């Protein structure tokens, strides 16, 4: 890393010593998990570069944007409508929260029996180790789960926080509430940025972010092929990076990758042999650098071909209609698209169960692994229904509950290997 970045991090109030420990651990881990893979698409080079420079150029861009008078808005959930931030000439960044590194820092305050994602995000702020958090003018939280919404109260003692109320149901009253929240968010963002969100601006932002959704969907479509042209680990990384990269650059890079993987599909080339077991992973999101389960599955010889999660299909599924209309109509269409995200925080949430079965069929999977972060009660309870639906369809399921530590790696490996053996016989 260059001296310039150290100065930049210092300016951002980063705890440099702690930050060094975090960054020094990444290259070795990335080498073992990513660079050890064979026959990767050459276009993954861009994503390797982004990880190698994780707190460098992009943070510099955010700083530059702020120095030019722009605002940076950080989020933790795919429910926050980024279009509104982009339409106000702001930059929206999805924060990571996928590492064990910041968990012990958070545990100085939060109860230990809290989901790792919540602890990791809180620890990043408390320990001042994330330049994305430090660069942001505002963190936007949501009331999706109880742990998160109470964490945001505590987080607001350390950073400006705005919380959107996500309803618990998708009834007409729930949708009405959400529409009001989207409108209030728009007004707040206009105030924060000092920029008016015109219908034109909103429609441009919608087109841009739909472009990112289309590119990711295109990548996922290529994963339906057998042999699969890209590993699950690489596809997961692409989604993770797209949360914080510049959307236009991201679209360009993902489409270049798609050109390459589609050529592989036409040539019948893959990263796993044809007929290798195909796995759908469903459940809690996997924020960067949470690659634990994918690594275990793929080193055991199976291919992860799809993720039904917020670092997968729930992130890019469903476009916002682009047919313009009045500002009110556009905001309604925006609100409606976000209500199409089937998070387990909703009750009932039958659409997610339907999605899992549909995706299992579309991606021709041999089995589903339900991935649950420990202490995430919504996904854990919903897994009962997932299990029932998959049993009715004759699709094998393995349920896993874990956190970000490596303590259970051996046990998880044994369980995954036994599952793979079972589905191959
Ligand atoms: S839309 S899945 S990104 S809330 S933090 S619910 S793992 S206990 S992340 Fe999520 Fe938005 Fe829903 Fe998606 Fe559970 Fe942990 Fe809560 Fe979590």
């Amino acid at each position: 890393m260059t001296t310039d970045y150290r100065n930049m991090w210092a300016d951002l109030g980063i705890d440099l010593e702690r930050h060094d420990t975090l960054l020094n651990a990444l290259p070795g881990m990335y080498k073992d998990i990513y660079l050890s893979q064979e026959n990767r698409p050459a276009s993954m080079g861009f994503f390797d570069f982004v990880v190698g420079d994780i707190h460098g150029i992009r943070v510099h861009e955010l700083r530059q944007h702020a120095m030019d008078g722009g605002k940076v808005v950080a989020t933790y959930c795919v429910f926050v409508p980024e279009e509104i931030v982009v339409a106000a000439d702001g930059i929206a960044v999805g924060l990571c929260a996928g590492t064990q590194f910041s968990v012990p820092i958070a545990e100085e305050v939060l109860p230990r029996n809290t989901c790792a994602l919540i602890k990791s995000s809180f620890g990043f702020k408390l320990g001042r180790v994330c330049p994305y958090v430090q660069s942001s003018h505002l963190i936007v939280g949501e009331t999706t789960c109880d742990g998160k919404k109470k964490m945001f109260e505590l987080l607001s003692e350390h950073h400006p926080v705005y919380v959107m109320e996500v309803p618990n149901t998708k009834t007409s009253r729930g949708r009405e509430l959400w529409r009001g929240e989207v409108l209030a968010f728009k007004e707040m963002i206009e105030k924060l940025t000092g920029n008016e969100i015109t219908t034109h601006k909103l429609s441009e932002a919608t087109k841009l972010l739909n472009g990112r959704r289309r590119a990711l969907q295109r990548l996922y479509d290529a994963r339906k092929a057998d042999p699969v042209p890209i590993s699950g680990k690489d596809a997961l990384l692409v989604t993770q990076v797209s949360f914080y990269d510049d959307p236009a650059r991201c679209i360009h890079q993902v489409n270049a990758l798609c050109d390459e993987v589609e050529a592989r599909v036409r040539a019948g080339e893959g990263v796993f042999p044809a007929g290798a077991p195909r796995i759908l992973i469903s459940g809690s999101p996997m924020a960067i650098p949470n690659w634990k389960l994918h690594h275990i599955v793929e080193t055991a010889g199976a291919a992860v071909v799809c993720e039904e999660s917020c670092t997968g299909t729930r992130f890019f599924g469903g476009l916002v209609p682009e047919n313009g209309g009045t500002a009110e109509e556009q905001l309604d269409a925006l609100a409606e698209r976000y209500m199409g995200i089937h998070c387990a925080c909703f009750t009932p949430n039958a659409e997610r169960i339907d999605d899992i079965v549909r995706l299992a069929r579309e991606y021709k999977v041999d089995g589903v692994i339900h991935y649950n972060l420990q202490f995430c009660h919504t996904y854990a309870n919903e897994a009962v229904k997932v299990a029932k639906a998959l049993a009715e369809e004759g699709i094998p399921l393995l349920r896993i509950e874990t956190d970000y530590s490596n303590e259970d790696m051996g046990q998880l490996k044994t369980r995954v290997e036994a599952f793979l053996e079972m589905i191959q016989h």
Side-chain angles (χ1 to χ4, degrees):
M1 290 289 175
T2 67
T3 322
D4 287 342
Y5 289 158
R6 290 192 77 76
N7 289 340
M8 174 177 78
W9 297 330
D11 284 350
L12 286 167
I14 292 285
D15 179 333
L16 290 176
E17 211 176 308
R18 247 184 190 151
H19 187 248
D20 282 347
T21 315
L22 172 68
L23 280 200
N24 290 343
L26 194 60
M29 179 183 169
Y30 194 73
K31 187 164 168 254
D32 289 349
I33 297 180
Y34 274 88
L35 304 181
S36 61
Q37 298 178 99
E38 282 174 17
N39 194 21
R40 298 173 72 213
S43 315
M44 284 307 298
F46 168 76
F47 298 91
D48 292 341
F49 168 76
V50 169
V51 175
D53 182 69
I54 197 154
H55 289 173
I57 292 173
R58 185 61 179 143
V59 177
H60 182 72
E61 288 174 355
L62 302 183
R63 290 280 287 162
Q64 201 53 52
H65 177 72
M67 282 173 197
D68 295 342
K71 298 292 180 208
V72 177
V73 176
T75 63
Y76 285 114
C77 174
V78 297
F79 248 93
V80 178
E82 283 179 63
E83 285 82 354
I84 289 178
V85 178
V86 174
D89 293 329
I91 295 182
V93 281
L95 295 172
C96 27
T99 170
Q100 175 66 20
F101 182 82
S102 52
V103 167
I105 307 171
E107 283 176 346
E108 288 168 19
V109 177
L110 298 181
R112 290 186 65 132
N113 57 352
T114 300
C115 149
L117 203 148
I118 297 173
K119 287 191 285 196
S120 183
S121 42
F122 189 68
F124 267 126
K125 178 65 214 183
L126 213 60
R128 291 182 290 110
V129 275
C130 176
Y132 291 94
V133 173
Q134 298 300 112
S135 301
S136 69
H137 298 92
L138 181 71
I139 290 177
V140 182
E142 10 64 45
T143 59
T144 44
C145 75
D146 291 350
K148 265 210 229 176
K149 70 187 174 208
K150 297 319 276 184
M151 180 271 280
F152 289 128
E153 286 180 24
L154 299 169
L155 193 64
S156 68
E157 293 169 10
H158 305 273
H159 202 90
V161 172
Y162 177 89
V163 176
M164 294 187 80
E165 183 171 356
V166 176
N168 288 166
T169 67
K170 291 184 179 174
T171 57
S172 52
R173 281 195 301 280
R175 285 171 196 275
E176 201 46 47
L177 183 149
W178 179 241
R179 261 199 294 274
E181 284 298 295
V182 171
L183 186 63
F185 183 60
K186 172 189 168 271
E187 286 164 4
M188 182 277 295
I189 290 292
E190 283 181 327
K191 215 183 245 170
L192 176 78
T193 58
N195 296 330
E196 190 198 343
I197 298 177
T198 61
T199 48
H200 175 70
K201 282 285 214 181
L202 194 54
S203 112
E204 289 303 300
T206 299
K207 283 182 197 148
L208 178 71
L209 296 176
N210 273 347
R212 189 176 65 190
R213 294 185 181 109
R214 285 194 187 94
L216 290 167
Q217 182 63 61
R218 189 179 160 203
L219 181 65
Y220 270 57
D221 283 342
R223 300 171 74 192
K224 292 175 182 168
D226 184 24
V228 64
I230 182 168
S231 68
K233 275 193 279 194
D234 277 337
L236 174 64
L237 178 66
V238 171
T239 313
Q240 290 171 334
V241 167
S242 64
F243 273 88
Y244 66 90
D245 196 14
D246 171 68
R249 180 172 52 215
C250 172
I251 294 167
H252 176 76
Q253 294 295 342
V254 177
N255 278 321
L257 174 64
C258 289
D259 290 343
E260 190 182 350
V261 295
E262 285 169 2
R264 284 181 166 207
V265 172
R266 286 193 294 276
E269 281 172 26
V271 282
F272 290 88
R278 300 169 65 83
I279 299 296
L280 164 70
I281 293 182
S282 166
S284 312
M286 295 170 175
I288 201 168
N290 179 7
W291 305 306
K292 184 174 163 179
L293 183 57
H294 280 59
H295 185 54
I296 291 174
V297 172
E298 297 202 323
T299 45
V304 176
V305 294
C306 183
E307 295 81 18
E308 186 281 321
S309 82
C310 289
T311 40
T313 55
R314 289 200 297 266
F315 177 45
F316 58 79
L319 300 177
V320 180
E322 289 178 18
N323 33 8
T326 63
E328 204 188 317
E329 283 164 349
Q330 283 195 41
L331 282 177
D332 279 357
L334 194 62
E336 203 47 36
R337 184 266 160 195
Y338 281 84
M339 280 303 268
I341 299 168
H342 306 312
C343 172
C345 63
F346 287 99
T347 182
N349 192 32
E351 298 93 336
R352 174 168 171 249
I353 318 288
D354 296 343
D355 278 351
I356 296 170
V357 172
R358 174 180 57 78
L359 292 168
R361 296 274 177 244
E362 277 179 20
Y363 288 79
K364 299 190 188 66
V365 305
D366 299 291
V368 174
I369 300 183
H370 193 273
Y371 169 80
N372 215 118
L373 280 175
Q374 254 165 28
F375 313 117
C376 174
H377 305 308
T378 49
Y379 280 91
N381 281 282
E382 198 158 279
V384 177
K385 289 201 166 187
V386 174
K388 190 162 172 271
L390 290 177
E392 280 166 11
E393 296 288 326
I395 302 167
L397 168 71
L398 173 67
R399 280 172 65 178
I400 274 178
E401 225 174 284
T402 185
D403 58 14
Y404 291 167
S405 75
N406 283 332
E407 280 166 22
D408 60 353
M409 283 291 273
Q411 193 207 51
L412 285 182
K413 218 166 156 324
T414 310
R415 290 188 63 208
V416 166
E417 283 167 359
F419 180 64
L420 295 179
E421 199 156 315
M422 187 266 286
I423 61 178
Q424 287 179 93
H425 289 105

